[in-house]
């Protein structure tokens, strides 16, 4: 992989983050996540397995976002949305529909399938990291509150996570 | 302090949920925000059902009577700073650091929060389009074409949606403009591979994040919201491609070369 690609991913993400109204103080983590994700994805793509690459990159971005968000006391969503920008299969959506507009049915199916696979892998990667972060924050909260009412944690209607920095 | 009127709490909580959805956040975040507002301000049980296009909120006041409200959400533009501010306001409410008046002033100020000035947004769009072109295998000449095309594209779509033109037609116009501008630059000898410049500048419009969030909502169990977001992403991609496909077709018909 061309190491300059990490720089391109970072700068493209920084530019797009402005359009999403991300404030400058949130930019470093978002940009770092984008470079990390692109690096992991490229390593897997060169090894010949882009789908696992999307999943691994998204999981890494998710962990970094949740971890950073916890310390910065901001929602992890901010960093996730920006950091997945280089991976996200936007051009795949466009190419799928372009093949369809041109009447190329096999092309539509092939590109469309690859696009859904990529989007699914990214979403699954983010879901895994969010689930683990939620688990970790609940363990931490129940430790801090040891001696509190035991029913507390089981109440699913409680807006869990406001304690954490989800 | 006297408890706020249950009707006011209901209205404020639904305003908060609607604001969260307008900023393009996850559906469960809107529901949790509304519930956190109600439980922090009224104490009683609240249920919220949100989809990307609307919020239904019902609330049992301290007097034991139930009230409900329906809010329609029109127009979604992602605004991460607003999401962050609502998040911290909700945390303050939940921790008892803010009361009803502070919460309602907070929501007002978040709604009026100014965005980046136009020049910064233009520079951001240009940088995104240019560097995405480089990232996806374009040359420097392609990136230098994509950057101004991206900047004009972002200004153009913003102006069109302010005029109340639907997203679908905005995307058709945007896709057609990006393709024609990049092909013209290629014809004039500025871009080595105009296709790469098209992909780079069109990154500003394509619903990549939308399709990913659609799947995330579905995974989170918000099935209706997930399918709705998926349909939104699908229609945006269709609009861009209809515009782009028409532009490629016109270019071929005009005999300016195969593209």
């Amino acid at each position: 992989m061309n190491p300059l690609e990490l720089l391109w991913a970072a700068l493209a993400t920084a530019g797009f983050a402005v359009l999403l109204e991300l404030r400058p103080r949130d930019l470093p983590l978002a940009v770092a996540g984008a470079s990390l994700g692109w690096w992991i994805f490229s390593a897997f793509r060169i090894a010949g397995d882009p789908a696992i690459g999307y999943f691994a990159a998204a999981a890494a971005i998710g962990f970094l976002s949740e971890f950073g968000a916890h310390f910065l006391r901001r929602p992890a969503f901010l960093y996730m949305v920006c950091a997945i920008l280089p991976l996200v299969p936007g051009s795949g959506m466009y190419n799928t529909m372009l093949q369809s507009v041109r009447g190329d049915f096999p092309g539509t199916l092939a590109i469309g399938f690859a696009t859904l696979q990529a989007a699914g892998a990214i979403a699954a990667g983010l879901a895994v990291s969010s689930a683990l972060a939620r688990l970790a924050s609940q363990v931490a909260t129940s430790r801090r509150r040891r001696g509190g009412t035991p029913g507390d944690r089981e109440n699913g209607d409680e807006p869990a996570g406001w304690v954490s920095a989800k | 302090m006297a408890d706020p009127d249950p009707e006011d709490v209901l209205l404020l909580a639904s305003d908060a949920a609607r604001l969260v959805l307008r900023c393009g956040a996850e559906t469960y975040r809107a529901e949790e925000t509304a519930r956190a507002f109600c439980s922090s301000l009224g104490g009683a049980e609240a249920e919220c059902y949100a989809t990307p296009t609307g919020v239904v909120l019902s609330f049992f006041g301290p007097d034991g009577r139930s009230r409900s409200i329906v809010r329609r959400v029109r127009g979604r533009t992602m605004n991460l700073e607003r999401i962050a501010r609502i998040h911290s306001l909700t945390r303050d409410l939940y921790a008892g650091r803010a009361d009803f008046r502070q919460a309602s002033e907070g929501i007002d100020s978040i709604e009026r929060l100014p965005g980046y000035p136009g020049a910064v947004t233009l520079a951001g769009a240009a940088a995104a389009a240019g560097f995405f072109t480089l990232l996806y295998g374009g040359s420097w000449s392609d990136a230098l074409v994509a950057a101004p095309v991206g900047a004009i594209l972002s200004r153009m779509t913003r102006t069109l949606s302010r005029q109340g033109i639907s997203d679908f037609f905005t995307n058709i116009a945007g896709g057609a403009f990006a393709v024609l501008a990049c092909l013209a630059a290629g014809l004039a000898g500025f871009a080595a591979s105009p296709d790469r410049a098209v992909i780079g500048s069109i990154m500003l419009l394509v619903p990549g994040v939308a399709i990913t969030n659609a799947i995330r909502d579905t995974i989170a169990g918000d099935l209706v919201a997930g399918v709705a977001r998926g349909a939104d992403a699908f229609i945006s991609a269709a609009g861009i491609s209809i515009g782009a496909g028409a532009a490629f077709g016109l270019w071929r018909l005009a005999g300016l070369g195969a593209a």
Side-chain angles (χ1 to χ4, degrees):
Chain A
M1 182 193 66
N2 183 352
L4 273 177
E5 279 183 18
L6 296 183
L7 183 64
W8 305 151
L11 291 171
T13 303
F16 211 112
V18 169
L19 301 182
L20 302 180
E21 299 286 344
L22 189 77
R23 287 293 175 263
R25 64 174 164 145
D26 295 319
L27 212 51
L29 187 59
V31 160
S35 291
L36 173 74
W38 187 257
W39 180 63
I40 294 175
F41 169 67
S42 301
F44 278 95
R45 190 178 53 176
I46 291 163
D49 203 338
I52 301 285
Y54 282 118
F55 178 81
I61 287 170
F63 283 123
L64 182 74
S65 306
E66 297 280 0
F67 193 71
H70 183 75
F71 287 103
L72 298 169
R73 299 186 153 266
R74 308 274 278 174
F77 185 69
L78 268 62
Y79 311 110
M80 272 179 198
V81 163
C82 295
I84 60 170
L85 281 171
L87 299 175
V88 129
S91 59
M93 288 289 285
Y94 159 74
N95 274 325
T96 306
M97 298 311 291
L98 191 62
Q99 298 309 321
S100 151
V101 168
R102 286 174 169 171
D104 177 0
F105 186 63
T108 308
L109 278 188
I111 304 177
F113 180 75
T115 303
L116 274 185
Q117 193 184 34
I122 295 171
L126 293 178
V128 165
S129 56
S130 298
L132 288 178
R134 189 173 266 234
L135 207 61
S137 95
Q138 295 205 340
V139 168
T141 324
S142 66
R143 264 205 199 136
R144 221 176 295 140
R145 278 199 204 152
R146 209 180 329 212
T149 50
D152 254 15
R153 296 287 97 206
E154 278 130 45
N155 184 2
D157 280 340
E158 185 191 348
W162 292 114
V163 231
S164 82
K166 184 165 51 63
Chain B
M1 193 202 79
D3 269 349
D5 189 34
E7 260 92 29
D8 293 339
V9 172
L10 188 68
L11 196 61
L12 181 67
S14 65
D15 271 345
R18 191 173 62 170
L19 189 55
V20 168
L21 289 170
R22 269 198 198 141
C23 298
E26 309 100 313
T27 312
Y28 75 82
R29 188 184 296 280
E31 294 178 350
E32 283 185 2
T33 303
R35 284 213 305 267
F37 265 66
C38 290
S39 67
S40 315
L41 294 171
E45 212 182 322
E47 282 286 340
C48 182
Y49 175 73
T51 71
T53 49
V55 186
V56 180
L57 177 64
S58 83
F59 173 74
F60 289 90
D63 54 0
R65 291 174 53 187
S66 88
R67 298 165 173 84
S68 60
I69 192 168
V70 179
R71 306 301 292 273
R72 182 79 166 84
V73 178
R74 286 201 170 78
R76 289 172 302 279
T77 4
M78 196 166 267
N79 189 317
L80 295 175
E81 177 61 16
R82 285 188 184 167
I83 296 176
R85 293 208 178 191
I86 300 169
H87 176 82
S88 73
L89 180 63
T90 313
R91 282 167 63 114
D92 284 350
L93 265 177
Y94 205 61
R97 286 191 297 266
D99 60 12
F100 179 82
R101 197 179 47 80
Q102 283 163 321
S104 118
E105 278 166 8
I107 291 288
D108 279 351
S109 77
I110 292 168
E111 269 177 354
R112 282 196 310 267
L113 194 71
Y116 280 113
V120 179
T121 314
L122 274 187
F131 290 117
F132 272 127
T133 305
L134 286 174
L135 185 64
Y136 297 143
S139 64
W140 273 104
S141 66
D142 303 327
L144 288 176
V145 168
V149 171
I152 299 171
L153 196 60
S154 83
R155 175 54 55 89
M156 183 178 128
T157 50
R158 199 165 279 214
T159 316
L160 283 179
S161 36
R162 270 196 200 137
Q163 301 296 317
I165 312 274
S166 80
D167 278 359
F168 185 64
F169 289 103
T170 307
N171 282 327
I172 292 182
F177 167 75
V179 167
L180 287 179
C182 291
L183 286 180
L187 192 69
F190 289 119
S193 43
D195 276 356
R196 304 276 175 188
V198 170
I199 293 284
S201 48
I202 260 177
M203 276 304 284
L204 298 173
L205 298 181
V206 293
V209 173
I211 188 74
T212 309
N213 280 338
I215 299 179
R216 288 187 64 210
D217 264 353
T218 313
I219 291 177
D222 295 319
L223 306 179
V224 175
V227 172
R229 279 187 209 272
D232 190 17
F234 183 79
I235 287 298
S236 313
I240 300 165
S241 310
I242 289 169
F248 278 125
L250 272 179
W251 194 261
R252 241 189 329 264
L253 278 181
L256 293 164

